[in-house]
Amino acid sequence: MEIGNVIDKNTSTDNSTSVKLPFDPLEFPREFRRHYVSANEDDICKMLDKVGLRDLSQLFGHIDPHLLFPHSLPLPEEKGYNEVAEKVFQISNLSNHKISFIGDQLPVWKTPPIVDFVSNLRNLSTSYTPYQPERSQGTLITHWIYQCAMSLLTGFEAINTSLYDRSFAIYEAITCAIRTSRKSSRILLASSIFPQEIQVLQTLSEETGIKFDFLDLDHNTGRCNYGQLSSFSIEDLNQYSALVYPQVNSLGLLEDVDLLTDFCDDNRIRSIACIDPFLLGEGGLKPPVEFGRSGADFIAGDAQHLAIPPNFGGPGLGIFGCRHNDENKSDLRNTPGRYIGQAKDLNGRDCHVMVLSTREQHIRKEKATSNVCSNQAFLATLAGASILSQGSKGLGEAVELANRNQQKVIDAIDSLEGIELAYTENISPTELSILTDKPASTLQNNARAAGIHLGVNISDRIKTPKKNVELIKLSFSNLHSEENINSLISFLQSEFSSALSENSKNSFRIDEKYLRRKPVTLPAYSDEELREYFGKLAELNVSPDDGCYPLGSCTMKYNPLLNDWAAGLKGFAEIHPQAPKEDIQGPLKVLHEIQEWFKGITGLSGVTTQPVAGAQGELVGIKLFQAYHRSRGETKRKFILIPRSAHGTNFATAAMAGYPDGIVYLEANDQGKIDLQDFIGKLAKYGDRLCGVMITNPNTSGIFETDFKKIADDVHRAGGLVYMDGANMNAIAGIINLAELGVDAVHNNLHKTWTIPHGGGGPGDAIVAVSEKLVDFLPGKQIIKLKDGSYDFEIPSRSIGSFHRNWGNFGHKVRAYTYLLRLGQEGIPRMSSVAVLSARYLFEKLKNRYQTLPIDVSNSPRMHEFILTLSDDDFSNLEIHGIPKNQAIPQIGKLFLDFGFHAPTVAFPEVFGLMIEPTESYTKKELDRFVEAVLAIKDIIEEAPYVLKTAPHFTPIDRVDEVSANRNLRLHETLNRLPPLPHNRISPAELTRLDVNEIKRRVIQLAKNNQGLI
Ligand SMILES: Cc1ncc(COP(=O)(O)O)c(C=O)c1O
């Protein structure tokens, strides 16, 4: 197979474009490389030479040729840099902007300028999840700020950073309530939460045993039917684990949260309140801690609007919180997601660290509280900055302004005939629903012609007692100018005649009981102060821009600036997901093309672009399998085979999908691949009870599962289905045809292979591709191209439902799309090939000094990553010097920080392993420097093992005392001052400029000083 030349023919820099980029790509060395592959032709030839191969195609010589794509991918040819910029700009211009009153599920508010500034801090936006606290204080402190700010606004002591979105947060709160209430899996849902949320909850709960009952809507009040509460039997009340209710409901009305919370309290039902933090500022709505006599138990919400514009619906920012006070300490350990705690380093410096990790999938596997891994972390960073810039006063003022706008429109409606407020009591401060005898669609279309997106038709959310009327909900915010409000009023006046007699004036003051009792104090900081502060925070992190970021399994490659620029274009970023179809053609085109391209990239028949992270992609896959089996009447298939070395999310996903007891571990053979005998035995045992198999390929040891096809065929013969965890697609994209491999579903982590930035832990994204059998079951909407060239969407005939209120993390789709335009059909296999070559080159250079894992693997060449370890002698030597075997590998990881690198992945999938993945983003020179450093680390291990005790030495803090941070949990503070900043002893940028031997010398010297050895 020819996989393209290796010539570095940088594509043109023609100036024929009308687009002006806000940066000069030529100033960024990686930005302008062809296919974003940094190695040039000479580098590639030399690396091939080192690994004993003639050309890139030989890297895949150990794989059955029938599995390789025999032809180019059905994708467009690569485009020049400026050509791509021009193209995405043109596509963004297919969207239409109007004055918008849509809001609804995704309110839209002004974001302060600091948000833009922080988005561009590459060391914050591109760095990894802060598992190495010594080199991640930047991210940890931004998340800490978010946690504290949310704590102050809501009164909740424990807020995590973060979950995907509000629906997912509600679902996680439900499972948490079930675990902690020790009642049944019956849940009471207020019908007044968003219908799309209910759909997501139903999709997620399928086959889990969770059953929903509904608290009905009262058609007269537009709120929950509180009378129904007294009609539940004792038996029902004894069974309900939780009640889910909104503070502001889907009709824009305030629910009686005191009554609902007290009802839960009285009946030992856990209360899950859905909130909007934006409304909780000074003078704002009552925080959930004040609901009823003792506050709600859990909160769920979304804060995307605090961080970014609508972005066609995502990434969102799921809020989840629980109480953690003297009365309630037990919930916290049952909750999902990440928490940051205050800590001390070993020398008593204040710092921050992730706490409570023993609940999470990477440690607890199927016993974890959730399968969530990558979450919406960077949005939490942005939301924190946004809140600090506005303070509680600023938030209060924003809502006040929106409320004044709402009042003006109410006054105008009062003087018109044929239109009235649908409800005149308990109206939220920023929304209102109107009732009209004109068809809502006619009114919306007329408004559109007048340059207005009128709002959302909510007629199907409630049956009103009045006949032949429809309801439209309008949302107001501080984005509306006086002119915008006047345009809306003029439009309404043009549609409806003036009332003959003066209608009774509706004057609204929100009842005191819905407002906060105790003041909230969250100071605002100036833009200047925050810029300086966040700028310094960024310097505490390391980015893939700085050099090789060797985290195995994470594919920390270069994230092009062009992608971020494209995602920020007005025609993408500022488009509301509920806008009319005619005005969202730009986003739909991106989604359609990317949907079709991923069919080509995987070789499979169908694609959903909805899942927002790898773990959610896995869940989509298993839910699809379940639906397929159900459709064939095979409801006993409840077992799933997963290799022991799989990522924690695989096990946690299977448990979350409804198989906590159905997970069967597959063992590995001495070649580091699935042991066929073991597999055959287990297949025979579970045969007609088998749902499917979940295999990572290449596997987590960086080895291609050459028996995958046989395993897939056997599973299919037994009636099961095959999921491929595609986290490692960077090794095989454009090379291996997954249809030939026998894959039924696969997720593609966009934040790995497809270059979206990792964001310090997310947002991720995962496009799922499926085989023909599963196409009709896909969740969400399929985008279709009509004959006239426009785009529309439809729901697959037997869809399993929905995993997101809208289109998933759309902003990330734009990034991946822009990347794919640059790569084209030739670039994708070239990117994978150079990623594999880079790994093999490093492996070749390091294997003689380090032991490698799996031991004795001779005929399984490494793909994109490999695992190093120490020999027994090395471990014994370290033990003699007081470094126990179980601490040696994590401590070696810390030595990487001393050389200006991030640590490799430690202790996964092998407890004593250092997993290294270089990606294709680095030149041979950079890889050689990395090799030099890893060899210097080996010298240190052998010659000066005591260095490991004090590593790292140049980071802002020393090793963190995680045990005590977990024992004495401190999850929030007041933010009366900005959290103090630690300082780099030597910055990563400076370290990369230093000679490796010099670093080694300094490290040894410092360790000697620390140990009192000199
Ligand atoms: C092999 C593997 N599978 C699954 C996942 C989960 O993906 P995500 O973090 O996007 O949920 C990861 C993430 O690190 C992974 O490495």
Side-chain angles (χ1 to χ4, degrees), residues 128 164 371-375 552-554 612-616 618 646-647 649-650 696 700 725-728 747 749 751-752 758 764-766 908:
Y128 187 62
Y164 304 143
N371 74 340
V372 69
C373 177
S374 296
N375 49 70
S553 201
C554 302
V612 297
Q616 195 177 65
E618 294 167 20
H647 195 261
T649 50
N650 289 191
T696 309
T700 52
D725 180 330
N728 295 337
H747 72 258
N749 300 74
H751 54 303
K752 297 175 190 256
H758 204 284
D765 200 280
F908 168 78

Coordinates of all heavy atoms in Angstrom, one line a residue, residues 128 164 371-375 552-554 612-616 618 646-647 649-650 696 700 725-728 747 749 751-752 758 764-766 908, ligand 1:
Y128 N -3.2 19.0 29.9 CA -4.0 17.7 30.2 C -4.6 17.9 31.6 O -4.4 18.8 32.4 CB -3.0 16.6 30.2 CG -3.7 15.2 30.4 CD1 -4.6 14.8 29.5 CD2 -3.4 14.4 31.5 CE1 -5.3 13.6 29.6 CE2 -4.1 13.2 31.7 CZ -5.0 12.8 30.8 OH -5.6 11.6 30.9
Y164 N -21.0 16.9 32.0 CA -21.2 17.4 30.6 C -22.2 18.5 30.4 O -21.9 19.5 29.8 CB -21.7 16.2 29.7 CG -20.8 15.0 29.7 CD1 -21.4 13.7 29.7 CD2 -19.4 15.0 29.8 CE1 -20.7 12.6 29.7 CE2 -18.7 13.9 29.8 CZ -19.3 12.6 29.7 OH -18.6 11.5 29.7
N371 N -19.2 6.9 34.8 CA -18.1 6.6 33.8 C -17.4 7.9 33.3 O -16.6 7.8 32.5 CB -18.7 5.8 32.6 CG -19.5 6.7 31.7 OD1 -20.0 7.8 32.1 ND2 -19.8 6.3 30.5
V372 N -17.8 9.0 33.9 CA -17.3 10.3 33.3 C -15.8 10.4 33.5 O -15.2 10.0 34.6 CB -18.0 11.5 34.0 CG1 -17.7 11.7 35.4 CG2 -17.7 12.8 33.2
C373 N -15.1 10.8 32.5 CA -13.6 10.9 32.5 C -13.4 12.3 32.0 O -13.4 13.3 32.8 CB -13.0 9.9 31.6 SG -11.2 9.9 31.5
S374 N -13.1 12.6 30.7 CA -13.0 14.0 30.3 C -14.4 14.6 30.5 O -15.4 14.0 30.2 CB -12.8 14.0 28.8 OG -11.5 13.5 28.5
N375 N -14.4 15.8 31.1 CA -15.6 16.5 31.4 C -15.5 17.9 30.7 O -14.9 18.0 29.7 CB -15.8 16.6 32.9 CG -14.6 17.1 33.5 OD1 -14.2 18.2 33.4 ND2 -13.8 16.2 34.2
G552 N 0.8 8.6 27.5 CA 0.3 7.5 26.7 C -1.2 7.5 26.9 O -1.8 7.8 27.9
S553 N -1.9 7.0 25.8 CA -3.4 6.9 25.8 C -4.1 8.2 25.6 O -5.3 8.2 25.4 CB -3.9 6.2 27.0 OG -5.1 5.6 26.7
C554 N -3.4 9.3 25.7 CA -4.0 10.6 25.7 C -3.8 11.4 24.4 O -4.5 12.4 24.2 CB -3.6 11.5 26.9 SG -3.9 10.6 28.4
V612 N -20.6 13.6 23.7 CA -19.7 14.7 24.1 C -18.4 14.3 24.7 O -17.6 15.1 25.1 CB -20.4 15.7 25.1 CG1 -21.6 16.3 24.4 CG2 -20.8 15.0 26.4
A613 N -18.1 13.0 24.8 CA -16.8 12.5 25.4 C -16.7 11.0 25.0 O -17.7 10.4 24.7 CB -16.8 12.7 26.9
G614 N -15.5 10.5 25.1 CA -15.2 9.1 24.8 C -16.1 8.2 25.6 O -16.8 7.3 25.1
A615 N -16.2 8.5 26.9 CA -17.0 7.6 27.8 C -18.5 7.7 27.4 O -19.2 6.7 27.5 CB -16.8 8.1 29.2
Q616 N -19.0 8.9 27.0 CA -20.3 8.9 26.5 C -20.5 8.2 25.2 O -21.5 7.5 25.0 CB -20.8 10.3 26.4 CG -22.4 10.4 26.3 CD -22.9 11.8 26.3 OE1 -22.7 12.5 25.3 NE2 -23.7 12.1 27.3
E618 N -18.9 5.5 24.4 CA -19.0 4.1 24.8 C -20.4 3.7 25.2 O -21.0 2.7 24.9 CB -18.1 3.8 26.0 CG -16.6 4.0 25.7 CD -15.7 4.0 26.9 OE1 -16.2 3.5 28.0 OE2 -14.6 4.5 26.9
A646 N -8.2 -2.8 29.7 CA -9.0 -1.7 29.1 C -9.0 -0.5 30.1 O -8.8 -0.6 31.3 CB -10.4 -2.1 28.8
H647 N -9.3 0.7 29.5 CA -9.5 1.9 30.2 C -10.6 1.8 31.2 O -11.6 1.1 30.9 CB -9.8 3.0 29.2 CG -9.6 4.4 29.8 ND1 -10.6 5.2 30.2 CD2 -8.5 5.1 30.0 CE1 -10.2 6.3 30.6 NE2 -8.9 6.3 30.5
T649 N -13.0 3.6 31.9 CA -14.4 4.0 31.4 C -15.1 2.8 30.8 O -16.3 2.8 30.9 CB -14.3 5.1 30.3 OG1 -13.3 4.7 29.4 CG2 -13.8 6.4 31.0
N650 N -14.4 1.9 30.2 CA -15.1 0.7 29.5 C -15.9 0.0 30.6 O -17.1 -0.4 30.3 CB -14.1 -0.2 28.9 CG -13.4 0.3 27.6 OD1 -12.8 -0.4 26.9 ND2 -13.6 1.6 27.4
T696 N -10.2 -2.2 22.9 CA -9.4 -1.0 22.5 C -8.4 -1.5 21.5 O -7.7 -2.5 21.7 CB -8.7 -0.4 23.7 OG1 -9.7 -0.2 24.7 CG2 -8.1 0.9 23.3
T700 N -4.2 -0.8 24.9 CA -3.6 0.2 25.8 C -2.1 -0.1 26.0 O -1.4 0.8 26.7 CB -4.3 0.2 27.2 OG1 -4.3 -1.1 27.7 CG2 -5.7 0.8 27.0
D725 N -13.1 0.6 21.3 CA -12.7 1.9 21.9 C -11.7 2.5 21.0 O -10.6 2.0 20.7 CB -12.1 1.6 23.3 CG -11.7 2.8 24.0 OD1 -11.3 3.8 23.3 OD2 -11.7 2.8 25.2
G726 N -12.1 3.7 20.4 CA -11.2 4.3 19.4 C -10.3 5.3 19.9 O -9.8 6.2 19.1
A727 N -10.0 5.3 21.2 CA -9.1 6.3 21.8 C -7.8 6.3 21.1 O -7.1 7.3 21.1 CB -9.0 6.0 23.3
N728 N -7.4 5.2 20.5 CA -6.1 5.1 19.9 C -6.1 5.2 18.4 O -5.2 4.6 17.7 CB -5.4 3.8 20.4 CG -5.1 3.9 21.9 OD1 -5.1 4.9 22.5 ND2 -5.0 2.7 22.5
H747 N -15.9 4.8 19.0 CA -15.9 6.3 19.2 C -14.6 6.9 18.8 O -13.6 6.2 18.9 CB -16.3 6.7 20.7 CG -15.2 6.4 21.7 ND1 -15.2 5.3 22.5 CD2 -14.1 7.0 22.0 CE1 -14.2 5.3 23.3 NE2 -13.4 6.3 23.0
N749 N -12.3 9.9 19.8 CA -12.2 11.1 20.7 C -11.6 12.2 19.9 O -10.4 12.2 19.4 CB -11.1 10.7 21.8 CG -11.5 9.6 22.6 OD1 -11.4 8.4 22.2 ND2 -12.0 9.8 23.8
H751 N -10.7 15.0 21.1 CA -9.7 15.7 21.9 C -8.4 14.8 22.0 O -7.5 15.1 22.7 CB -10.2 16.0 23.3 CG -10.7 14.8 24.0 ND1 -11.8 14.1 23.5 CD2 -10.4 14.2 25.2 CE1 -12.0 13.1 24.4 NE2 -11.2 13.2 25.4
K752 N -8.3 13.8 21.1 CA -7.1 13.0 21.0 C -6.7 13.2 19.5 O -6.1 14.2 19.1 CB -7.3 11.6 21.4 CG -7.6 11.4 22.9 CD -7.9 10.0 23.2 CE -8.5 9.9 24.6 NZ -7.6 9.4 25.6
H758 N -7.2 19.8 24.9 CA -7.7 19.0 26.0 C -8.3 19.8 27.2 O -9.1 19.3 28.0 CB -6.5 18.1 26.6 CG -7.0 16.9 27.3 ND1 -7.6 17.0 28.6 CD2 -7.1 15.6 26.9 CE1 -8.0 15.8 28.9 NE2 -7.7 14.9 28.0
G764 N -14.2 17.1 26.1 CA -13.8 16.2 25.0 C -14.9 16.2 24.0 O -15.7 17.1 23.9
D765 N -14.9 15.1 23.2 CA -15.9 14.9 22.2 C -15.7 13.5 21.6 O -14.6 13.0 21.6 CB -15.8 16.0 21.1 CG -17.2 16.1 20.4 OD1 -17.4 15.2 19.5 OD2 -17.9 17.0 20.7
A766 N -16.8 12.9 21.1 CA -16.6 11.6 20.6 C -17.7 11.3 19.5 O -18.8 11.1 19.8 CB -16.8 10.6 21.7
F908 N -0.9 2.9 34.4 CA -2.0 2.4 33.6 C -1.4 2.1 32.2 O -0.7 3.0 31.7 CB -3.1 3.4 33.5 CG -4.1 3.0 32.4 CD1 -5.0 2.1 32.6 CD2 -4.0 3.6 31.1 CE1 -5.9 1.7 31.6 CE2 -4.9 3.2 30.1 CZ -5.9 2.3 30.3
Ligands
LIG1 C1 -8.4 4.1 26.0 C2 -9.4 5.1 26.5 N1 -10.7 4.9 26.4 C3 -11.6 5.7 26.8 C4 -11.3 7.0 27.3 C5 -12.4 7.9 27.8 O1 -12.5 9.0 26.9 P1 -13.1 10.4 27.5 O2 -12.1 10.9 28.5 O3 -13.2 11.2 26.3 O4 -14.4 10.1 28.1 C6 -9.9 7.3 27.4 C7 -9.5 8.6 27.9 O5 -8.5 8.9 28.4 C8 -9.0 6.4 26.9 O6 -7.6 6.7 27.0

